[in-house]
């Protein structure tokens, strides 16, 4: 059987409430589910767009706080309709930009990056 789509991306976070606020208020994701596992030591929160099961972001809080940097997600990317509009919207929020301009990739895609609440790179791009 061939892979049909990506289901979700998991990201370890140091402060679940801060991460939930960022991904809901800044990115625009909706909280779909939240529960604890491992005898209450780990909390998982699943976010997505418009109640869709297409792709989810899974925030993982707790467990092993000493994870190595190897294997961590390099960045999370979100597709937008108008990159300049999104850039201006985020400039009006308390968001830390990685670079202060919208860039253009060799394939014509345009993008910019911000820091998430745990220092993760969050990309916004337009095809």
């Amino acid at each position: 059987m061939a892979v049909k789509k990506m289901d979700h991306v998991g990201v370890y976070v140091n402060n679940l409430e801060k991460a939930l606020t960022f991904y809901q208020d800044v990115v625009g994701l909706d909280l779909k589910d939240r529960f604890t596992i491992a005898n209450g030591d780990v909390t998982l929160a699943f976010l997505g767009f418009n109640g869709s099961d297409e792709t989810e972001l899974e925030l993982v809080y707790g467990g092993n706080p000493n994870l190595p940097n190897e294997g961590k997600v390099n960045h999370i990317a979100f597709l937008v309709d108008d990159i300049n509009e999104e850039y201006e919207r985020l400039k009006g929020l308390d968001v830390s930009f990685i670079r202060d301009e919208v860039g253009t990739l060799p394939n014509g895609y345009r993008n910019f990056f911000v820091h998430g609440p745990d220092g993760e790179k969050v990309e916004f791009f337009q095809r």
Side-chain angles (χ1 to χ4, degrees), residues 109-121:
Y109 292 3
R110 300 187 67 222
N111 70 346
F112 66 89
F113 289 86
V114 301
H115 290 288
D118 281 285
E120 70 275 19
K121 289 175 18 179

Side-chain angles (χ1 to χ4, degrees), residues 27-118:
V27 176
L29 293 167
D30 299 316
L31 180 62
K32 296 170 65 175
D33 204 355
R34 177 180 176 166
F35 52 84
T36 60
I37 60 172
N39 296 322
D41 289 338
V42 176
T43 301
L44 304 178
F46 295 87
L47 300 105
F49 289 109
N50 303 319
S52 170
D53 288 332
E54 185 64 27
T55 302
E56 292 180 324
L57 174 64
E58 175 185 0
L59 302 178
V60 181
Y61 173 75
N64 181 0
N66 301 312
L67 293 172
N69 286 333
E70 296 86 22
K72 288 188 177 179
V73 174
N74 176 267
H75 71 280
I76 303 163
F78 296 97
L79 179 66
V80 299
D81 291 327
D82 185 324
I83 195 73
N84 294 322
E85 182 179 297
E86 191 65 14
Y87 182 81
E88 291 301 320
R89 183 183 77 83
L90 293 186
K91 278 178 57 177
L93 301 175
D94 185 22
V95 175
S96 172
F97 285 81
I98 293 175
R99 67 174 187 236
D100 292 326
E101 64 184 358
V102 175
T104 302
L105 300 170
N107 63 359
Y109 292 3
R110 300 187 67 222
N111 70 346
F112 66 89
F113 289 86
V114 301
H115 290 288
D118 281 285

